């Protein structure tokens, strides 16, 4: 539970297991429920885990659909090419999408709740994105270990 009292729904935990263990999904989009008491699944995505180029294209399609006035918590098995050795890599990442167009209360509650996602799901790579550059494929690749 976060400082705001927000918790992850059971559906989030089940869906994360399907992403992390069963590899049925490559990303899950999460959001606050209407009562702002828990984080729920908004969307589950299947993208190519192996091919970084295909993953990048699918990511571009997904972020084009993100709302510009609501935050999202995105957990993804990120496919990328590591700059250090030019090798394909995959790492689970938590991206907190919080665009400037969010209402202040929603932005505040979501911001204080983002830690519950990466702490409960044990995700070590996490970032905050608030514009097209930081949510882009390249923007997320930049935060990956050995790509900074």
């Amino acid at each position: 539970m976060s400082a705001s009292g927000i918790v992850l729904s059971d559906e989030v935990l089940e869906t994360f297991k399907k992403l992390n263990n069963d590899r049925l999904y490559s990303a899950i989009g999460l959001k606050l429920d209407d009562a702002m008491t828990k984080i729920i699944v908004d969307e589950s995505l299947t993208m190519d885990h192996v091919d970084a180029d295909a993953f990048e294209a699918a990511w571009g399609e997904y972020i084009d659909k993100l709302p510009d006035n609501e935050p999202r918590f995105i957990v993804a098995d990120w496919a990328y090419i590591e700059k250090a050795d030019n090798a394909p890599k995959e790492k689970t990442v938590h991206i907190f999408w919080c665009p400037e167009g969010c209402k202040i209360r929603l932005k505040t509650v979501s911001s204080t709740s983002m830690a519950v996602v990466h702490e409960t799901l044990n995700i070590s790579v996490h970032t905050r994105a608030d514009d097209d550059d930081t949510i882009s494929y390249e923007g997320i690749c930049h935060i990956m270990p050995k790509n900074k």
Side-chain angles (χ1 to χ4, degrees), residues 76-106:
D77 272 342
W78 199 260
Y80 66 104
I81 303 297
E82 189 174 83
K83 289 180 183 176
D85 58 7
N86 201 34
K89 301 287 181 180
E90 196 171 304
K91 185 82 175 161
T92 303
V93 62
H94 167 220
I95 305 157
F96 175 54
W97 169 246
C98 193
E100 292 298 320
C102 291
K103 293 181 180 177
I104 296 297
R105 176 160 162 62
L106 191 54

Side-chain angles (χ1 to χ4, degrees), residues 113-128:
S113 302
M114 68 183 201
V116 75
V117 175
H118 57 261
E119 289 172 4
T120 303
L121 302 178
N122 196 28
I123 301 170
S124 60
V125 178
H126 46 91
T127 190
R128 181 184 192 126

Side-chain angles (χ1 to χ4, degrees), residues 40-90:
I40 59 173
V41 174
D42 181 45
E43 185 174 7
S44 302
L45 306 161
T46 304
M47 296 183 268
D48 193 327
H49 282 58
V50 179
D51 182 350
D53 290 334
F55 184 91
E56 180 177 2
W59 181 253
E61 291 173 19
Y62 173 66
I63 63 174
D64 285 345
K65 297 185 298 183
L66 286 173
D68 59 3
N69 61 352
E70 289 182 30
R72 291 293 185 267
F73 307 92
I74 304 160
V75 177
D77 272 342
W78 199 260
Y80 66 104
I81 303 297
E82 189 174 83
K83 289 180 183 176
D85 58 7
N86 201 34
K89 301 287 181 180
E90 196 171 304

